[in-house]
Amino acid sequence: MTDPSLLGADEATFIATARADDTARFALLTERHRRALQVHCYRMLANYDDSQDLTQETFLRAWNKRESFDGRAALRTWLYRIATNACLDFLEKRNRRTPVPAELPGAGSEVRYLQPYPDRMLPEDPHESAVARETIELAFIVAVQHLPPRQRAALILRDVLGWPAATTADALELSVASVTSALQRARVTMREQLPDRRLDWRTPATHELSDDERATVKAWVDAHERNDLDGLLSLMREDLRFAMPPDPGVWVTAESALDSWVSNGFGGPGYDDWRCIVTTVNRMPAVVEYLRTPDQPVYRLFAIDVLHIVDGRIAELTGFNAADKPWLGLPPTL
């Protein structure tokens, strides 16, 4: 029997709840961890829908395993362990959940299952929210997808959450030496995928959107609403990288990206009456596009462009269909 006097309040209450089979109290105790666990699953899976499902699976497994919790680890740590292994089980059954080579030579790879993550669903704790800033950006999420699942888990547990090696090894049912080796290999891959980014993710990021970045976003909205192709082109770096998952294809120059938009109708009849609003997803600036066609009286939600801005110009643009993502919390019409 565990001595309640040696436990934290959450842990002691959880054990009492488990013994009493108190489902309502169990829900209250675990629900407070939902946002942090869902972000953890999202880092593992790069997909909002899947992260939501796996968080729910975590709570189901936690209920089924409730009697095994003895308080030797914090309740939060125990839940993270369950969530990690639920994600690993999910990935083991889905061979297609890895990046695929881009069709265009020199474009690298693409993560077609990538989805944006709404900022309003990030953890409310200030420290967690600050640490999440860089490890929720699309570049980080995509880079992590290049790691084998257990390397991915080791990197997130050790370098993002700051877990000790022994705790990580216990969660992944590996030796400390195996975890250390997996982490070293994961760090090498991350340096290759993020050559210009800092790799110390346990330190809260201090970067906020600068005045120059806000100016770039404002100019982008203005040019988009006016169908100003030259204006859009001037705001993009020549080596811009553009993708729109889950659709296949990566464009690696500003001109090729713009050509693809024009070939799909942008600026032409039926695709020339736009209104845009500015928001953030994945702690990144994003422009939400609304389109009004001649047969409609209102502007309807169309797409969301997530922007990575470097020195006042857009270096990466990732577009998503917004109409099928109600969890973004965007108004359907303007």
Side-chain angles (χ1 to χ4, degrees):
M1 300 288 287
T2 303
D3 183 353
S5 67
L6 301 177
L7 301 175
D10 276 0
E11 289 69 38
T13 303
F14 186 85
I15 289 175
T17 299
R19 291 173 181 168
D21 285 344
D22 187 342
T23 56
R25 186 63 177 163
F26 174 89
L28 286 173
L29 288 170
T30 54
E31 184 64 25
R32 69 185 65 171
H33 300 288
R34 179 181 292 275
R35 289 192 177 193
L37 290 169
Q38 187 162 327
V39 168
H40 178 60
C41 293
Y42 177 74
R43 290 189 183 109
M44 288 286 295
L45 305 174
N47 184 281
Y48 181 87
D49 288 326
D50 292 339
S51 70
Q52 195 171 43
D53 291 344
L54 268 294
T55 302
Q56 201 58 40
E57 172 68 15
T58 297
F59 290 150
L60 178 61
R61 291 190 184 193
W63 173 255
N64 291 334
K65 296 178 179 180
R66 62 193 182 280
E67 294 182 358
S68 69
F69 181 74
D70 58 10
R72 286 183 295 176
L75 174 59
R76 182 185 187 82
T77 302
W78 185 69
L79 291 172
Y80 266 105
R81 173 177 179 161
I82 294 173
T84 301
N85 283 285
C87 290
L88 290 174
D89 291 344
F90 174 89
L91 290 169
E92 185 177 355
K93 297 174 184 177
R94 288 163 175 79
N95 295 329
R96 290 183 296 176
R97 284 306 173 104
T98 56
V100 297
E103 297 175 357
L104 189 67
S109 58
E110 51 185 312
V111 179
R112 293 180 185 171
Y113 51 90
L114 178 68
Q115 290 181 338
Y117 199 94
D119 283 7
R120 62 188 179 85
M121 294 299 295
L122 291 173
E124 294 176 337
D125 178 87
H127 179 77
E128 284 191 0
S129 183
V131 172
R133 186 168 296 127
E134 289 188 54
T135 61
I136 202 70
E137 288 183 357
L138 292 181
F140 178 89
I141 297 299
V142 168
V144 166
Q145 300 306 299
H146 289 79
L147 303 175
R150 289 194 179 274
Q151 284 188 31
R152 192 181 309 178
L155 179 103
I156 292 170
L157 293 176
R158 291 281 285 120
D159 278 5
V160 176
L161 299 181
W163 282 22
T167 306
T168 303
D170 183 55
L172 299 179
E173 298 181 346
L174 297 171
S175 67
V176 171
S178 296
V179 165
T180 301
S181 177
L183 180 59
Q184 289 173 343
R185 294 195 300 274
R187 285 170 174 168
V188 170
T189 302
M190 293 297 283
R191 289 190 186 96
E192 294 171 350
Q193 295 295 322
L194 298 170
D196 299 325
R197 306 292 182 94
R198 73 168 192 154
L199 301 180
D200 177 17
W201 296 297
R202 284 175 291 183
T203 303
T206 57
H207 172 72
E208 298 288 349
L209 206 62
S210 68
D211 290 340
D212 284 346
E213 288 170 316
R214 291 190 180 92
T216 300
V217 173
K218 184 177 183 299
W220 181 266
V221 167
D222 179 64
H224 195 288
E225 291 184 343
R226 292 187 293 105
N227 299 290
D228 180 359
L229 301 182
D230 290 336
L232 292 173
L233 191 63
S234 71
L235 294 168
M236 296 185 282
R237 284 182 21 165
E238 291 182 6
D239 60 348
L240 171 105
R241 191 178 195 276
F242 166 67
M244 195 165 183
D247 295 339
V250 175
W251 289 260
V252 289
T253 67
E255 289 191 357
S256 65
L258 197 61
D259 287 345
S260 73
W261 303 339
V262 172
S263 66
N264 281 285
F266 177 75
Y271 290 91
D272 58 352
D273 191 358
W274 301 94
R275 288 294 179 271
C276 301
I277 61 175
V278 177
T279 186
T280 58
V281 297
N282 294 78
R283 292 290 190 188
M284 303 173 70
V287 175
V288 187
E289 302 156 3
Y290 289 79
L291 174 66
R292 184 171 67 177
T293 56
D295 59 336
Q296 293 178 338
V298 297
Y299 293 87
R300 296 192 178 278
L301 183 60
F302 187 78
I304 181 169
D305 290 338
V306 186
L307 312 177
H308 174 53
I309 300 171
V310 177
D311 297 329
R313 300 179 74 186
I314 299 168
E316 297 173 23
L317 191 156
T318 309
F320 299 94
N321 180 358
D324 62 353
K325 296 175 177 60
W327 34 265
L328 286 173
L330 299 169
T333 60
L334 290 181

